[in-house]
Amino acid sequence: MLFAPELLLLMGSLVLFFVTLGQGKGKLAKNIALFLAVASSLLSLATLQLEGNLFFNAYRIDLFSQIFKFAMSIGLVAVLIFGSDLKGINNSVRPEYYLFMILSMLGLVMLVSSVELLTLFIALELSSYSLYLMVPMRDDRGGLRMQMEAAIKYILFGAVATATMLYGMSFIYGLTGTTYFTELIPKLHVLASTPTAMLAIALFMTGFFYKLAVFPFHFWVPDVYQGASNSTTAFIASIPKLGAVALLIRITTLVAPNGGESVVMMLMILAVCSMFYGNLSALVQTDVKRMLGFSGIAHAGFVMLGLLTLDDTGFATSMYYITGYLFMNLACFLVICKVSQNGENVVINDFSGLYKRSPLLALTLLVGMMALAGIPPFVGFMGKFMLLTGALKAGHLTLVILAALNTAIAIYYYLSVVRVAFCSAPEERPDVSVDLMTRFVSISLIVVIIVMGVAPKQVLQIATSAVRTIL
């Protein structure tokens, strides 16, 4: 039972592999992938209270890991439903597309339970290489060069990040003589203030900074977001970020609570650079996916605010914020996928008069954008408020002021999109039809974003309990 979600996805991947051997099995593959996503959600929920170690203590099941698995599975269900028409994906590779999506999901659920360096590395690479293969599966309507260039950049930057992370792992092993987190933690606590240990942890974190698109590991973001199909970008922009934050929290606990000042300083610099670079770059974007890509870099900076406090409240707040970001981001990408008629990229003016063409999509866009901007009563506001409060209590006043300034910058470009959707004429653009399942997902996302915003206490209590299981 402990390994049930992973076993289900593994068996499902084998089934999907045999489906890919046939011809014209895209619809069957889609149904199998959706079944796997729903079943994985239910199994993760059923195993929330279970605890245990597997595979010679290299794999840990606890509340922390199962919450992330549940959130990621819910995200996968949403992506599979609103991206079910696969507009922009080459017809001949649709079964393979679902196979690699499920394989990537398998890598991510394994990642959040990995408590041993080599297990973690294998899970991360399983997730990453599946994503590298999904990007060039876009059809050539948007220009063959765009998706191929995106895929090449994605894998090249990923290879550099992986090599750097492996270098950090080798340092850690050399310092401690073990690859198990349970044995690493006490040894690194003793070595936390030494330059070699700080360098080892910093290099090790590189792989997760890359996944989370923290500055300066963000170079792949705008081109990959623009070059991949809309549904692929929705997946890349949302679900792997949860896995990255889960592991960053686990790794940061290696130096908490007696963490060295060097790690805190590194996280502060990354946070400030990510927020300013992401928000200032997003201001001048017209392609909505590129804008969300740059804004994602800024949100990664906000997540750092929780990590650098090095306490359970800060870690729990980062966990709360990245979970809320998943739903906020999915709401925006749902609208992008539906407004795009043939899978092409969407520019801001394509939202003109959306409130007349599809009131529900316009409302979803409004909630998603306002939540990302940090406007109450949505989850984005409460998440930013708690992150800023935690950083202030930890004595980082200057950082809080800079983060508040970035929130003001972000409000401008998020509300510019809302203004186009609600204050511009449709200009003979066609109405946007939305099927029943997409309506259900859209309303569900709106409800979750509001409920998490107005009732954060319950969610934060669960997150705090989860974080305490790994400290």
Side-chain angles (χ1 to χ4, degrees), residues 85-89 94 138-143 146-147 225-233 286-290 333-351 357 429-430 432:
D85 43 13
L86 286 189
K87 289 184 290 190
I89 296 295
R94 291 188 172 187
R138 187 175 192 176
D139 64 26
D140 57 2
R141 187 176 292 113
M146 187 167 62
Q147 62 268 28
Y225 275 41
Q226 187 177 16
S229 70
N230 294 331
S231 56
T232 306
T233 308
T286 55
D287 185 296
V288 182
K289 287 197 296 182
R290 284 183 73 93
F333 274 101
L334 181 150
V335 180
I336 292 172
C337 286
K338 292 304 167 187
V339 168
S340 174
Q341 292 185 334
N342 298 304
E344 69 278 10
N345 286 355
V346 174
V347 297
I348 293 175
N349 283 336
D350 288 330
F351 291 141
R357 297 154 57 201
R429 286 182 170 81
V432 183

Side-chain angles (χ1 to χ4, degrees), residues 59-278:
Y59 202 80
R60 169 114 186 119
I61 304 295
D62 51 27
L63 182 61
F64 181 79
S65 65
Q66 300 313 94
I67 285 177
F68 274 106
K69 288 175 191 175
F70 176 66
M72 289 192 294
S73 300
I74 291 293
L76 180 61
V77 172
V79 171
L80 286 170
I81 290 177
F82 68 69
S84 62
D85 43 13
L86 286 189
K87 289 184 290 190
I89 296 295
N90 196 319
N91 283 331
S92 62
V93 295
R94 291 188 172 187
E96 288 83 355
Y97 179 81
Y98 287 114
L99 169 63
F100 289 122
M101 185 178 279
I102 294 299
L103 279 175
S104 180
M105 186 67 188
L106 174 62
L108 289 171
V109 298
M110 290 175 64
L111 187 67
V112 297
S113 276
S114 300
V115 288
E116 192 266 342
L117 295 180
L118 294 179
T119 311
L120 182 153
F121 177 73
I122 292 169
L124 183 65
E125 293 308 294
L126 175 61
S127 165
S128 299
Y129 276 89
S130 300
L131 290 178
Y132 299 152
L133 291 167
M134 287 168 63
V135 173
M137 288 185 173
R138 187 175 192 176
D139 64 26
D140 57 2
R141 187 176 292 113
L144 184 64
R145 180 174 170 272
M146 187 167 62
Q147 62 268 28
M148 294 304 177
E149 180 182 337
I152 291 170
K153 286 183 178 177
Y154 198 16
I155 195 168
L156 286 180
F157 285 125
V160 173
T162 298
T164 309
M165 186 180 71
L166 275 174
Y167 195 48
M169 284 183 179
S170 67
F171 266 82
I172 290 175
Y173 180 72
L175 286 168
T176 62
T178 180
T179 56
Y180 287 85
F181 281 16
T182 51
E183 297 171 13
L184 283 173
I185 291 172
K187 293 180 179 178
L188 279 180
H189 278 172
V190 175
L191 298 169
S193 58
T194 63
T196 311
M198 291 300 99
L199 177 63
I201 293 171
L203 292 173
F204 181 37
M205 283 180 163
T206 300
F208 307 102
F209 289 149
Y210 172 79
K211 277 285 181 191
L212 194 56
V214 174
F215 181 94
F217 308 98
H218 65 280
F219 287 108
W220 58 277
V221 170
D223 292 328
V224 171
Y225 275 41
Q226 187 177 16
S229 70
N230 294 331
S231 56
T232 306
T233 308
F235 184 89
I236 293 173
S238 306
I239 300 172
K241 290 183 185 294
L242 267 75
V245 170
L247 261 296
L248 277 176
I249 292 174
R250 280 197 191 274
I251 296 165
T252 311
T253 60
L254 296 177
V255 294
N258 302 316
E261 293 180 359
S262 302
V263 169
V264 175
M265 182 58 69
M266 177 186 70
L267 294 175
M268 285 178 64
I269 293 171
L270 292 176
V272 172
C273 292
S274 296
M275 287 188 286
F276 273 102
Y277 178 83

Side-chain angles (χ1 to χ4, degrees), residues 342-374:
N342 298 304
E344 69 278 10
N345 286 355
V346 174
V347 297
I348 293 175
N349 283 336
D350 288 330
F351 291 141
S352 296
L354 188 62
Y355 74 104
K356 287 185 177 177
R357 297 154 57 201
S358 177
L360 178 60
L361 288 184
L363 178 63
T364 308
L365 184 70
L366 172 74
V367 171
M369 289 290 173
M370 291 184 74
L372 286 170

Side-chain angles (χ1 to χ4, degrees), residues 277-422:
Y277 178 83
N279 281 324
L280 293 176
S281 300
L283 277 175
V284 296
Q285 303 302 318
T286 55
D287 185 296
V288 182
K289 287 197 296 182
R290 284 183 73 93
M291 189 200 80
L292 289 174
F294 281 112
S295 79
I297 297 170
H299 284 282
F302 268 96
V303 172
M304 294 293 113
L305 297 184
L307 298 181
L308 61 84
T309 61
L310 299 182
D311 60 29
D312 55 350
T313 305
F315 295 147
T317 309
S318 289
M319 192 173 166
Y320 169 85
Y321 189 75
I322 199 64
T323 307
Y325 178 76
L326 168 75
F327 298 116
M328 297 184 278
N329 222 23
L330 287 176
C332 297
F333 274 101
L334 181 150
V335 180
I336 292 172
C337 286
K338 292 304 167 187
V339 168
S340 174
Q341 292 185 334
N342 298 304
E344 69 278 10
N345 286 355
V346 174
V347 297
I348 293 175
N349 283 336
D350 288 330
F351 291 141
S352 296
L354 188 62
Y355 74 104
K356 287 185 177 177
R357 297 154 57 201
S358 177
L360 178 60
L361 288 184
L363 178 63
T364 308
L365 184 70
L366 172 74
V367 171
M369 289 290 173
M370 291 184 74
L372 286 170
I375 295 174
F378 306 112
V379 61
F381 165 75
M382 192 51 67
K384 287 183 178 178
F385 176 75
M386 290 192 292
L387 286 170
L388 294 177
T389 305
L392 189 61
K393 285 181 180 175
H396 304 297
L397 176 61
T398 305
L399 185 61
V400 171
I401 294 172
L402 294 175
L405 178 62
N406 271 277
T407 301
I409 297 172
I411 287 174
Y412 175 78
Y413 63 80
Y414 284 125
L415 292 192
S416 296
V417 178
V418 174
R419 179 184 60 79
V420 171
F422 283 86

